[in-house]
Amino acid sequence: NQKANISSTAFQNCTAQSGGGGAVSASSVAQFLATDITVRDCVTPVPGAGMLLRGTQASLQTSTFLSNTANGNGGAIDFRNGTLSIGQCVFSGNVALLGGVGGGVHAEYSTVDVFNSTLHTNTAGFCGGAFSSLHSAVTLRNSSLIDNNANAGGGLYIDSSQSTNLYGMRFHHNTAVTHGGGAYVTWRTSLTGTSTMFTNNIATSGNGAGLYMEGLSAGYAATVVMSHVTAAGNTANAGGGGAVYLHSEA
């Protein structure tokens, strides 16, 4: 099996002019391991300014992604069709421009586990200032999303997830121009949140400053289950649901 292992390495001011992965692009590699790396100031005109990963089992540990900019999804990382584990990592100042989603990380058709990590001051032109996913199973645990910005889902954006689990999470002072200052979860997604905090998030012109969830549908078994959750100081400036806003399809 093909295996890539990168450790104690710095990638800086890297540019991919016509493809993604300003620092690293990997496709159909059985295992991709990165430990103690730094990826900063990388730029691409397409998704994945820091890394573009496809069809792999990836593990990113104790690494830092700073100020990477993509003209598309995944300011730091764009991931698809695999399994992604992110542990003890920092994502700061990354940007997904134009209609991009996932200022820090964007994942599609994958299983994702993020733990003991911090994603702060990341920006998406469309949704998910820090993190976004599409058609994926997502677990976020014991991590913080702070001071991120997007049009919707200032911190987090989840679309059509098989399941989304939040455990021990902190969403603080994230801002959405429209809905979901802290998090925006949509389209028949089942959400479970435990021991999680939504504090001082802002929905500037929409609903659900802490959490905005739409597309609840009994026909598709979409549910929301929250326990031991704290919501404080969240503000929906021009809409409803200062803390939580729920909307059903029916």
Side-chain angles (χ1 to χ4, degrees), residues 135 158-161 184-189 214-216 222 249:
H135 295 297
I158 303 290
D159 189 346
S160 306
S161 173
Y184 187 124
V185 180
T186 186
W187 203 240
R188 301 165 183 169
T189 293
E214 69 175 3
L216 293 169
E249 292 178 34

Side-chain angles (χ1 to χ4, degrees), residues 42-232:
C42 295
V43 179
T44 57
V46 293
M51 292 184 174
L52 185 77
L53 304 176
R54 298 286 187 265
T56 185
Q57 180 179 329
S59 176
L60 310 176
Q61 306 296 319
T62 56
S63 296
T64 303
F65 296 80
L66 300 173
S67 303
N68 301 288
T69 303
N71 275 325
N73 302 336
I77 297 172
D78 188 62
F79 189 87
R80 186 176 296 181
N81 299 118
T83 301
L84 174 62
S85 173
I86 297 174
Q88 296 180 280
C89 291
V90 175
F91 293 81
S92 177
N94 302 288
V95 181
L97 292 173
L98 302 177
V101 297
V105 179
H106 175 66
E108 295 187 19
Y109 299 98
S110 298
T111 299
V112 183
D113 182 22
V114 179
F115 60 95
N116 299 340
S117 295
T118 300
L119 297 85
H120 67 90
T121 58
N122 302 286
T123 302
F126 187 37
C127 298
F131 180 96
S132 68
S133 74
L134 174 66
H135 295 297
S136 296
V138 177
T139 298
L140 304 177
R141 50 195 173 100
N142 301 321
S143 298
S144 296
L145 277 64
I146 303 171
D147 287 321
N148 302 286
N149 297 272
N151 183 65
L156 174 69
Y157 179 77
I158 303 290
D159 189 346
S160 306
S161 173
Q162 302 164 29
S163 65
T164 297
N165 298 292
L166 308 177
Y167 180 80
M169 291 294 298
R170 183 187 181 207
F171 295 82
H172 178 72
H173 203 251
N174 302 286
T175 302
V177 175
T178 57
H179 307 304
Y184 187 124
V185 180
T186 186
W187 203 240
R188 301 165 183 169
T189 293
S190 291
L191 172 68
T192 301
T194 307
S195 302
T196 290
M197 299 177 65
F198 294 88
T199 57
N200 299 103
N201 300 287
I202 300 168
T204 303
S205 62
N207 303 309
L211 168 66
Y212 179 93
M213 187 167 181
E214 69 175 3
L216 293 169
S217 171
Y220 287 86
T223 59
V224 55
V225 178
M226 308 288 278
S227 64
H228 298 94
V229 171
T230 298

Side-chain angles (χ1 to χ4, degrees), residues 1-6 26-35 55-59:
N1 291 334
Q2 294 175 316
K3 182 177 180 179
N5 192 336
I6 304 172
S27 179
S28 300
V29 176
Q31 287 185 300
F32 179 87
L33 310 176
T35 306
T56 185
Q57 180 179 329
S59 176

